[in-house]
Amino acid sequence: MDIRITAAPFDPHAECAAFAADRADAGALVSFVGLCRQETAGRAVTGLTIDHYEGFTQTQIADLAADVARRYRVPDLLVIHRIGPILPGEAIVLVAALSTHRGAAFEAVQVLMDYLKTDAPLWKKETGPDGARWVEPRQDDRLRRAALENQA
Amino acid sequence: MDIRITAAPFDPHAECAAFAADRADAGALVSFVGLCRQETAGRAVTGLTIDHYEGFTQTQIADLAADVARRYRVPDLLVIHRIGPILPGEAIVLVAALSTHRGAAFEAVQVLMDYLKTDAPLWKKETGPDGARWVEPRQDDRLRRAALENQA
Amino acid sequence: MQLVFLGKFGELAPKGLASPTLPDDVRTLADLKDWIAGQAPVLGKAMALTTTRVAVNRALVHDLSRPVRADDEIAFLPPMSGG
Amino acid sequence: MQLVFLGKFGELAPKGLASPTLPDDVRTLADLKDWIAGQAPVLGKAMALTTTRVAVNRALVHDLSRPVRADDEIAFLPPMSGG
């Protein structure tokens, strides 16, 4: 398991390639890349800034990932999350899973993304021509999270 | 929509990078890479050969992808599928979707993979130390396919 | 007429079946399947024991009462295993 | 004691709150939240209007009756929005 937060831009495709390299034992690689959009809900976005809590954010994300790895039996997880200022088109987050079969890898990546949206100690601020605003969790992310809780 | 079958090895990570390049309108990239494993169900695998039907396989896969694109409203789909001889560690298939939000992209990639397993005119033969055998569709792939049919 | 045998059917089909000369009483796809089973019993048995899909001129056909024509390309497809 | 305000709370918290001198009657996390609301009403209102999670020494704490200690680092976390 490889869990990183980074203030520097990263190349999610190169990271996926490194993650899957020399893994002829795994049959399935599922990955999700969240990208900084240039507009959201009709508003232009000139950038994002993500606040984090030093010494806490990384360990919390590692705990969430360990929980998902155990629950879905997918130990090979990669999470990279940007912090600080981010420009449109840059990757915000990469979550990837390697597994023998695809079902578990899909589930692990999807559930881990659901958790990151609502339970990773990160706070996103969008900047646009009209100023900056803190992003509130989306209603559907909260509902998804509640559904996960009921399954657990 | 970009649907390809190829007899040459391809780099799924470079293909994902090209697919997502300059797409600051999309917030979510989901991708699946199926890799040729070095063993399956305890048997060593020295390689795969995938048979196809020239002039039919590509258009059938394009039809499956168009159906998924329409049903999940995810027009930006990429499918690359190898044919011919494949070595362990090489990518067999890449399915990727770009979308505004992640839910639809996850669904589109998962459902399209389900269809590829049972409805793409491709026939996989595994080679091992004991000889070659044609791969039969897995029971769980058939069940998944039947479940999709009931939803449709 | 061209016949195409995919996947494991391709390994079981005698070469000569690719461009067959059919007797007059082979009028439909169902007749053609029966005739193939007579010509190549091992292939015929394999086709009977599994779900065999048929494509005519590169389109799947479900109704085996469809007549066969001299210029058809007819393909026999075992269960698919892509992905 | 160190106080940490994350996300939008960080923008609303006066600088001086980071290393506060607390009166003796601030004994628990609940007391501390009330005291903060008195010192910085805009921040206090923001914390009251949303789901505020509290971490003590970098571990989430759900029971606000927990006593506060002089060497604690206490963080206030608005709803998270990662991913």
Side-chain angles (χ1 to χ4, degrees), chain A residues 20-149:
Chain A
D22 304 317
R23 289 298 306 274
D25 57 318
L29 169 68
V30 172
S31 66
F32 173 84
V33 182
L35 297 156
C36 180
R37 295 170 58 199
Q38 66 201 358
E39 77 159 56
T40 176
R43 283 189 311 277
V45 174
T46 54
L48 284 179
T49 302
I50 298 182
D51 193 17
H52 79 297
Y53 182 15
E54 186 69 39
F56 181 69
T57 300
Q58 200 272 347
T59 55
Q60 288 289 113
I61 294 177
D63 285 353
L64 295 171
D67 182 43
V68 168
R70 185 181 43 71
R71 212 173 337 148
Y72 295 91
R73 295 161 202 253
V74 179
D76 287 314
L77 292 174
L78 168 66
V79 178
I80 305 179
H81 207 299
R82 280 286 292 282
I83 53 172
I86 303 173
L87 294 174
E90 290 181 354
I92 302 169
V93 60
L94 165 66
V95 175
L98 272 168
S99 180
T100 333
H101 296 297
R102 71 188 190 285
F106 271 115
E107 283 187 311
V109 172
Q110 246 170 316
V111 169
L112 189 45
M113 271 309 302
D114 289 346
Y115 276 119
L116 288 180
K117 286 275 173 189
T118 51
D119 288 62
L122 293 163
W123 296 273
K124 208 179 270 167
K125 192 177 171 177
E126 271 173 15
T127 317
D130 307 333
R133 54 179 279 279
W134 290 96
V135 175
E136 297 291 328
R138 290 161 49 96
Q139 173 70 5
D140 56 348
D141 286 330
R142 282 202 303 269
L143 293 174
R144 227 189 277 262
R145 173 64 175 76
L148 285 175
E149 201 59 27

